[in-house]
Amino acid sequence: MVPFPTGGIRGDGYIHHSYEGFYPDADPAEIARLKSVHRLPIDHIPMDINPVVMNTGDRLFLIDAGAGRTLTWRGDMGRLIDNLGAAGTDPKDIDAVLMTHLHPDHAFGLIHPDGSATFPNAKLFCTDREWAEWTDPENLNRNDFRSEWTGGAHEAVAPYRDRLRLFSVGETLFPGVSTFSVAGHTAGMCAYIFESEGQKIVFTGDVCHHQVYDPAHPEWYFHMDYDTNPQQAADAKTAIFAKVVTEGIRYHGYHFPFPGIGDVVPLGDGTYHFHPEAVAPRH
């Protein structure tokens, strides 16, 4: 197995998210301090969109599919196909798409604007609990964002229903590919852990949304509207950080600055620091 992501993929783009609603239980003075210390933008939170291709030698895996070319959130999205091509990867060669969860910026890239499959030969993997939450037809009758997001999820997964594999969190899907619950942001969100020759890397979906705020304050809620269970989501951050530190697992943050890969280091007081790896081949 090749233990690390293939190089050269620039992800799917980025989102500009306002601070409104973000970290609702955070101390404003602490937010201001972290902005100043880390020279973060004052009026918005930039979040990269980082799907990753993993080449294990016998399979090409894609972890999450990006926002695609139909999502109109503030930012610049839908670049995954172009960047796959620039990296020498044909979407037809992807064998399996592993979904951390089915929110729009992770799932809508499963299809082209005409509704056809972006990855026509890939099997789609999703947890049973995630599938139940985001393909529930009852959501279509709601008067909030869940109606639109569920409708979009239905369209995104439609071409893959005959090659769908639902699984329970904790299952090992392939040799060297295991799963770990990070539920809270959604009811069935899961992380994927790849292991080879004693080395591990974990792809965590949206257990974190920012490379500074979340490691520094894993107890903070992300967003009361968009987390299915905000307290469970905060607990999942603490759990995944403890796991990667204890087991020496390299960490990938889907919304961290490209490529989103690095090491999480404990600071001894229940907080952490994310040390990113440079955009360079690893030998």
Side-chain angles (χ1 to χ4, degrees), residues 68-190:
R69 298 183 176 181
T70 60
L71 197 58
T72 57
W73 294 353
R74 183 185 171 202
D76 183 10
M77 295 164 279
R79 304 293 182 179
L80 178 60
I81 300 306
D82 292 341
N83 288 328
L84 284 172
T89 299
D90 189 324
K92 295 179 181 178
D93 293 335
I94 299 296
D95 297 299
V97 182
L98 309 180
M99 300 303 302
T100 63
H101 63 301
L102 295 178
H103 278 181
D105 51 321
H106 297 253
F108 284 17
L110 287 168
I111 55 174
H112 294 294
D114 65 2
S116 62
T118 306
F119 311 100
N121 298 314
K123 294 180 180 179
L124 183 67
F125 288 76
C126 181
T127 72
D128 46 10
R129 291 196 66 188
E130 186 66 20
W131 185 264
E133 181 177 18
W134 289 101
T135 63
D136 181 356
E138 291 299 317
N139 283 343
L140 299 173
N141 300 319
R142 293 178 58 139
N143 294 320
D144 60 11
F145 71 93
R146 285 178 175 267
S147 174
E148 181 181 356
W149 288 18
T150 300
H154 280 199
E155 294 176 8
V157 303
Y160 300 87
R161 284 181 179 266
D162 62 347
R163 44 207 160 97
L164 172 68
R165 162 76 192 282
L166 298 181
F167 64 92
S168 298
V169 177
E171 287 188 41
T172 296
L173 303 181
F174 299 90
V177 183
S178 60
T179 61
F180 180 78
S181 177
V182 285
H185 183 57
T186 65
M189 190 168 72
C190 89

Side-chain angles (χ1 to χ4, degrees), residues 34 86 114-115 124 147 155 160 185 212 214 222 225 227 231 247 254 270 273 277:
L34 291 171
D114 65 2
L124 183 67
S147 174
E155 294 176 8
Y160 300 87
H185 183 57
V212 171
D214 286 307
F222 159 59
D225 292 336
D227 276 352
Q231 183 60 61
E247 299 182 25
Y254 186 80
H273 182 79
E277 292 183 11

Side-chain angles (χ1 to χ4, degrees), residues 11 13 22 24 31 71 137 159 224 260:
F22 234 81
I31 289 280
L71 197 58
M224 298 298 288

Side-chain angles (χ1 to χ4, degrees), residues 47-50 208-212 214-215 241 251-261 264 274:
M47 300 192 304
D48 285 13
I49 304 173
N50 288 315
C208 293
H209 288 81
H210 196 273
Q211 72 280 4
V212 171
D214 286 307
F241 287 154
Y251 185 94
H252 177 264
Y254 186 80
H255 287 305
F256 288 9
F258 177 86
I261 297 171
V264 174
F274 177 72

